Amino acid sequence: MICYMHEGNPYGHLKVGNKVILPTNLASMAGAALQDVKGWLDELGQSGVFDSLPDGTIFSKRMVRDESLREIRAAGGKLGGNPALKVNLEVIPEVENDVKQKPTPSSSSSSSSSSSSSSSSSSSSLTSVDTNICPPDGGPEVKIPYCDHQGVKDLYHLHLPTLRKVEVWNAVRQGYLRQRWREVATELAQTKPINSNDVLSWWAEFFKHIGQSKFLVGKVNSKDGRAFTADLEWILKPSNFAKIVEGKYHGAN
């Protein structure tokens, strides 16, 4: 539902174009029984996870609110004034965090976080403005959509519900995600123009990939009888991220 809401019009609404996605449609799209889907929707509705419009459209108040905030920031800057002021006050501390991270060995795009590009990439993730970067292979500039922190966290919770829930989203974790988002988006943008939904689709498949590893989801006990369980911060660290993409942890199934 969250994936479809990311593509909904308006954003955050469970619609395909102008068509409302009703329970019967959702059951078909999710490959589940209608009775099960109705039960899940009742449970989510009673818990206040979503709201509905008179025509039956399900929507996420949080996604709608976040989108509105992104548009406001993109139009005038978070401080409501000079965008340069925002960069001076907010971006510089987080750029420092990005620069300190080592590039991911397995990704050809990891070296894109150089001193010249990390500033513009970090600024884009905070102000919700797309940015152009030059790939490390010397190819033409590609446009990288803003880093959708909430979108990635939502997909993590959706596809990996048994893993530790993200309660704190501090500067370190934000920096990890911006780097990984930039790497993924750079790769995707090599073949065609992309938007944030394209990158989110990649993350959805990535989290599904993680869910297929018994080791990462805590179903394999070590010699001491305890099971390791990944969390989002661990997943986003450069070396761990590269190993997951390469399938190293899927051999423990």
Side-chain angles (χ1 to χ4, degrees), residues 23-41:
T24 51
N25 307 122
L26 187 59
S28 177
M29 297 164 76
L34 177 58
Q35 183 177 358
D36 290 338
V37 170
K38 288 183 177 179
W40 298 332
L41 291 174

Side-chain angles (χ1 to χ4, degrees), residues 134-152:
C134 183
D137 60 5
E141 285 189 345
V142 294
K143 178 168 287 188
I144 301 301
Y146 66 84
C147 179
D148 190 342
H149 293 260
Q150 189 60 49
V152 173

Side-chain angles (χ1 to χ4, degrees), residues 50 54 76 87 104 106 112 118 127 156-157 165 184 204 223 243:
F50 62 75
V87 173
T104 305
S106 66
S112 64
S118 61
T127 60
Y156 166 80
H157 291 140
K165 185 177 181 180
V184 171
K223 293 181 179 180
K243 292 174 183 177

Side-chain angles (χ1 to χ4, degrees), residues 5-252:
M5 286 175 174
H6 274 292
E7 300 176 358
N9 183 21
Y11 180 87
H13 290 65
L14 194 60
K15 301 178 70 174
V16 175
N18 295 323
K19 183 179 179 181
V20 177
I21 299 179
L22 299 174
T24 51
N25 307 122
L26 187 59
S28 177
M29 297 164 76
L34 177 58
Q35 183 177 358
D36 290 338
V37 170
K38 288 183 177 179
W40 298 332
L41 291 174
D42 288 341
E43 181 179 351
L44 292 172
Q46 292 172 7
S47 301
V49 175
F50 62 75
D51 288 286
S52 300
L53 297 176
D55 63 354
T57 300
I58 292 173
F59 70 100
S60 166
K61 288 193 297 185
R62 180 166 186 172
M63 293 175 69
V64 172
R65 182 176 64 250
D66 289 347
E67 179 66 6
S68 177
L69 182 58
R70 280 193 289 264
E71 292 177 353
I72 292 173
R73 289 177 176 174
K78 186 177 180 182
L79 298 180
N82 187 347
L85 182 61
K86 174 179 173 55
V87 173
N88 291 334
L89 293 178
E90 293 190 28
V91 174
I92 290 178
E94 305 226 9
V95 170
E96 180 181 359
N97 180 62
D98 278 356
V99 173
K100 288 181 180 179
Q101 301 299 330
K102 296 181 180 180
T104 305
S106 66
S107 173
S108 62
S109 62
S110 60
S111 59
S112 64
S113 55
S114 63
S115 60
S116 62
S117 64
S118 61
S119 177
S120 62
S121 299
S122 295
S123 176
S124 69
S125 69
L126 289 174
T127 60
S128 303
V129 176
D130 295 349
T131 185
N132 293 326
I133 70 169
C134 183
D137 60 5
E141 285 189 345
V142 294
K143 178 168 287 188
I144 301 301
Y146 66 84
C147 179
D148 190 342
H149 293 260
Q150 189 60 49
V152 173
K153 288 190 292 181
D154 287 343
L155 290 171
Y156 166 80
H157 291 140
L158 174 67
H159 294 295
L160 298 169
T162 62
L163 299 192
R164 186 178 296 112
K165 185 177 181 180
V166 178
E167 300 288 356
V168 177
W169 196 238
N170 54 33
V172 173
R173 294 177 176 182
Q174 292 175 31
Y176 282 145
L177 178 55
R178 280 198 301 276
Q179 286 187 321
R180 305 291 83 75
W181 177 282
R182 186 164 59 246
E183 293 168 4
V184 171
T186 301
E187 292 291 342
L188 295 176
Q190 298 303 307
T191 57
K192 66 176 183 178
I194 61 171
N195 55 37
S196 60
N197 288 333
D198 295 317
V199 188
L200 286 172
S201 295
W202 185 95
W203 282 97
E205 294 303 316
F206 176 66
F207 290 138
K208 291 178 184 178
H209 172 68
I210 292 176
Q212 295 172 355
S213 168
K214 292 182 179 180
F215 172 76
L216 294 177
V217 298
K219 295 182 179 180
V220 176
N221 291 332
S222 59
K223 293 181 179 180
D224 60 5
R226 293 182 298 178
F228 167 79
T229 303
D231 58 29
L232 186 55
E233 180 178 345
W234 186 90
I235 290 169
L236 294 174
K237 290 182 178 180
S239 60
N240 298 336
F241 184 83
K243 292 174 183 177
I244 295 172
V245 171
E246 293 170 348
K248 177 178 179 179
Y249 299 107
H250 286 67

